Amino acid sequence: MGPSRALSPRERRWFRWLPAALILGVFALDLLTPRGMRVFPLLAAAPVLVAPWLTLTGTIATGGAALLAAVLLPLVRGRLPFGVDDIVPFSTFVILTFLAAVVNRLLVRERRQLKNTREVAETVQRAVLPSPPGRIGPLAVAVRYEAAAREAAIGGDLYAIHPTPHGIRLMIADVRGKGLGAIRTVNALLGTFHEATRRAPDLPGVVRWLEERMQEANPAEGGAGLEMFVTAVIAEVSADGSTLRMANRGHPPPLLVHRGRARPLEPGTPSLPLGLAGLDAPNVLPDVPVDQYTLPDGAVLVLFTDGVVEARDHRGVFYDPVPRLSRPLPPDPDHVLDALLTDLYRYTAEHLDDDVALLAIGLPRDADDGRRV
C-alpha cells in the first residue's frame, strides 16, 4: 500500500460533499430504473470509496447513511426492506463498512508516519542549509526552502552566499537524486564553495574547485555506471552591488526583476552541469564561460531550483515565473519571494512535486546612496 497524496484545500472541499452526492445519486438512480434492477451494490461501495479521504467518523457515518438509504429505497418502492433475499446483501454491507474503517485507520497511520519522516527530513535540511543573514555587505538577502508534498526524503537543493575580498559570491544548485547520497554531495559542495570563495581569485576558479570536487565524488557516490551531477548557478556581485558576474552550469536561468519586468538571464554559452564537464576530455577541465550584467537600482535577482519551473497545474502545464514577477513589486527580496511562492502554490493547488529552493538579493534603499563611487 503506497502513501496517499495529501489533498489540497479545494479537493478537501469537494470530498466533503462526496458521500452525500454519492448516496443521493444512487437514490435517484434507483427511482429512475425499472423495479427489477438493484442498485444496492453501489450503496454498499460508498464507505469503501470514501475511506482513503475521510476520517474514521466520516467513513462510518457514510456507511450508516448508505445503509439508511438502502432501508428507505424499498419503502419508497412500496415493499418491505428486510426480505429473505436481502440478508446476504445487508451482511455484505456491514462487512464492507467494517473493512472501510480498517482501511481508513491504516491510511491514517501511514500518513502520520510519512508526516513524521518528512518533518525529520526538513529539520535535517534546515540544519544543513541555515538561513543567511538578512543583509550581507550592501545586499539584502532572502532565502526560502519548500519541501515537496509527496517526498519524505532529504532533497539535494542548496544555496550559499559569502562575502569575500573579491565581492559577494553566491550559489544555488540542485544535486541529482535524494537521500543520503544527495545530502553527502550537498555537504561536500557547501564546504568546497566556502573554501573556494576565500581562496579562488576569480569566479572561474570557484567553478573549477566545485567541478574537481564533483569529479572526485563521482566514483564514491555515483555507483556502477551512474554519474552524479549538479546543476548550478555560481555568481559574484561586486563590492558596491553594481555588477553581476555569473556562470550557469545547466541550471534554470535566474530572473532579474526590475520596474515591473522579469528578465531571464540566459547564459551566452551553455555549459554542462558540475560533474559532467570532463565527459569529452577526461582529466581536462574546460574553460568556464562567465556572463556579466549590470544590476540597476531597485533590481532584485531571483535564483531558484528546477522545482519551480517543473511545477505543473491540474492540466499538466509547467509553471512560468516570468509573468508573475513581471508586475509592479517592491524592490525587496523577501516580498518578491513571498509573491512568487504564493503564486506557485496557487498554480499547483498547494501541491509541489519537487523541492524548491530560492535565493534573492537586492540593494536596500538605505544603501543606494553609497553604491557607486
Side-chain angles (χ1 to χ4, degrees), residues 290-347:
V290 174
D291 299 290
Q292 182 165 311
Y293 306 90
T294 298
L295 293 179
D297 293 339
V300 174
L301 181 69
V302 181
L303 305 94
F304 48 85
T305 54
D306 60 9
V308 172
V309 293
E310 292 182 358
R312 306 183 188 217
D313 64 4
H314 66 281
R315 301 165 297 173
V317 179
F318 288 111
Y319 179 73
D320 183 2
V322 173
R324 178 61 187 94
L325 297 183
S326 294
R327 304 175 187 180
L329 293 170
D332 173 64
D334 271 305
H335 188 100
V336 171
L337 291 190
D338 286 342
L340 177 58
L341 284 175
T342 298
D343 190 62
L344 179 63
Y345 275 113
R346 178 199 59 78
Y347 187 84

Side-chain angles (χ1 to χ4, degrees), residues 10-309:
R10 179 182 298 178
E11 289 172 325
R12 284 196 292 269
R13 286 193 295 270
W14 279 107
F15 275 104
R16 188 180 304 152
W17 294 102
L18 177 61
L22 180 62
I23 294 170
L24 290 176
V26 173
F27 203 99
L29 180 64
D30 183 79
L31 295 178
L32 296 175
T33 55
R35 287 180 179 270
M37 296 185 65
R38 300 291 299 273
V39 295
F40 188 90
L42 295 177
L43 284 173
V48 178
L49 291 176
V50 302
W53 317 112
L54 300 185
T55 62
L56 177 62
T57 302
T59 300
I60 296 176
T62 300
L67 180 60
L68 179 62
V71 172
L72 293 176
L73 279 174
L75 295 176
V76 174
R77 289 284 195 168
R79 67 181 183 86
L80 295 176
F82 297 105
V84 176
D85 295 338
D86 294 322
I87 294 177
V88 172
F90 274 98
S91 300
T92 303
F93 194 103
V94 174
I95 293 173
L96 286 176
T97 301
F98 174 76
L99 290 177
V102 172
V103 169
N104 178 273
R105 286 293 86 194
L106 291 175
L107 289 174
V108 167
R109 185 174 65 180
E110 188 174 353
R111 290 193 192 103
R112 187 180 298 115
Q113 291 174 344
L114 180 62
K115 180 176 180 290
N116 292 339
T117 304
R118 186 181 295 128
E119 288 176 351
V120 171
E122 290 176 356
T123 300
V124 174
Q125 197 87 47
R126 285 192 294 269
V128 173
L129 290 177
S131 296
R135 183 162 175 171
I136 297 178
L139 299 179
V141 179
V143 297
R144 300 288 188 275
Y145 192 100
E146 301 293 321
R150 65 178 176 87
E151 295 288 354
I154 300 172
D157 296 28
L158 65 119
Y159 49 75
I161 180 167
H162 298 295
T164 76
H166 311 287
I168 300 170
R169 290 174 171 173
L170 55 136
M171 172 178 67
I172 192 161
D174 190 355
V175 177
R176 176 180 183 249
K178 288 183 178 291
L180 292 179
I183 205 66
R184 282 195 294 265
T185 304
V186 167
N187 278 326
L189 285 174
L190 289 173
T192 301
F193 181 72
H194 178 71
E195 187 73 9
T197 54
R198 294 191 298 111
R199 297 196 176 189
D202 54 18
L203 193 62
V206 176
V207 177
R208 290 190 185 97
W209 274 59
L210 295 169
E211 181 64 48
E212 289 174 355
R213 181 65 186 87
M214 282 304 303
Q215 292 192 15
E216 291 172 0
N218 260 330
E221 301 290 354
L226 184 63
E227 292 285 339
M228 287 290 290
F229 63 85
V230 178
T231 66
V233 169
I234 304 98
E236 179 181 272
V237 180
S238 60
D240 64 352
S242 63
T243 303
L244 169 70
R245 289 176 288 275
M246 188 168 64
N248 190 323
R249 304 304 297 265
H251 199 80
L255 299 178
L256 187 64
V257 181
H258 184 232
R259 293 183 178 177
R261 180 183 173 223
R263 176 168 64 98
L265 300 183
E266 300 280 357
T269 303
S271 299
L272 291 172
L274 297 171
L276 301 181
L279 288 181
D280 296 331
N283 303 320
V284 177
L285 294 180
D287 292 336
V288 178
V290 174
D291 299 290
Q292 182 165 311
Y293 306 90
T294 298
L295 293 179
D297 293 339
V300 174
L301 181 69
V302 181
L303 305 94
F304 48 85
T305 54
D306 60 9
V308 172
V309 293

